[in-house]
Amino acid sequence: MTTHLDRILFAQGGQCFFCRRQLPKAEASVEHLVAVANGGKNDDDNCVACCKALNHLLGSKSIKEKLQIVLNQRGSFQCPGNALAQSSPSSSTNATPVTPKPAPAAANGTPTAIDLVQADLKKRGASRPRKVATLSSTIKSLLKQHQKPNADAEVAHLISELQKQGKVIVIDTKVTYKLG
Ligand SMILES: [Zn+2]
């Protein structure tokens, strides 16, 4: 007989809804996104299969608190209790941080957006923007000035890229620079 859990797990390709590891049925459980205690239904729209440990942690928290727990993991989500499995030698290669690829220089010699931003910031010397908001608008107008597409969407990406490269340090709303 196919159980509720079997069906959901099948629909999720056998993976935990949250951390996406292959989930043996013995370690899986049905998580009600809106907890039954909060009026959540027992239908497929409200149910996911996930690691038992996470289900236990989420309990009957509100959907807002649950989202917060998930979002707090920022990116690579690990259900609690999976740390051991992750540090085993067979999976250690998966844990190696991905080396960021250097931004490819455009074939026709046009500088990439990140090059433009760095060059502009260097040029500004002591008058570099000191606040994230100012830095964002500075980058946005620079991109527009150079007819780069999607200036609005690119700004956040460029700032996080500069942070990754250690060129820009953001603390709260303040920005400091290590452009070399
Ligand atoms: Zn999981």
Side-chain angles (χ1 to χ4, degrees):
M1 196 189 101
T2 312
T3 65
H4 194 194
L5 178 59
D6 284 323
R7 263 191 309 130
I8 300 176
L9 206 50
F10 177 79
Q12 289 173 198
Q15 297 175 344
C16 168
F17 183 80
F18 295 97
C19 72
R20 319 202 81 171
R21 76 177 175 115
Q22 280 298 321
L23 194 53
K25 202 188 157 192
E27 291 168 40
S29 61
V30 175
E31 153 71 10
H32 293 76
L33 293 173
V34 177
V36 178
N38 299 333
K41 294 203 178 114
N42 197 33
D43 58 20
D44 284 7
D45 281 345
N46 188 44
C47 290
V48 299
C50 76
C51 296
K52 274 182 182 166
L54 182 69
N55 195 350
H56 186 71
L57 176 83
L58 296 179
S60 55
K61 289 184 168 64
S62 71
I63 190 75
K64 180 177 168 181
E65 287 174 300
K66 289 180 183 181
L67 276 176
Q68 206 143 42
I69 289 171
V70 172
L71 292 172
N72 279 345
Q73 307 304 312
R74 295 191 203 282
S76 172
F77 188 93
Q78 303 263 319
C79 284
N82 287 351
L84 277 176
Q86 288 296 318
S87 62
S88 71
S90 61
S91 63
S92 65
T93 46
N94 296 338
T96 314
V98 181
T99 323
K101 282 183 214 152
N108 57 10
T110 337
T112 57
I114 199 150
D115 292 337
L116 282 174
V117 172
Q118 284 195 63
D120 182 73
L121 289 171
K122 276 190 190 171
K123 210 167 55 187
R124 284 170 188 267
S127 65
R128 284 167 201 152
R130 297 273 161 230
K131 296 217 158 157
V132 179
T134 333
L135 178 62
S136 301
S137 54
T138 305
I139 294 178
K140 204 183 289 181
S141 61
L142 185 73
L143 294 178
K144 287 189 175 152
Q145 199 185 313
H146 288 269
Q147 274 108 46
K148 295 282 179 192
N150 308 322
D152 292 311
E154 277 292 295
V155 171
H157 168 74
L158 286 171
I159 293 177
S160 78
E161 196 55 39
L162 287 168
Q163 280 182 270
K164 260 189 243 166
Q165 295 180 8
K167 304 267 164 84
V168 161
I169 297 146
V170 176
I171 297 159
D172 293 327
T173 58
K174 295 203 179 113
V175 190
T176 48
Y177 299 89
K178 288 208 169 162
L179 294 164

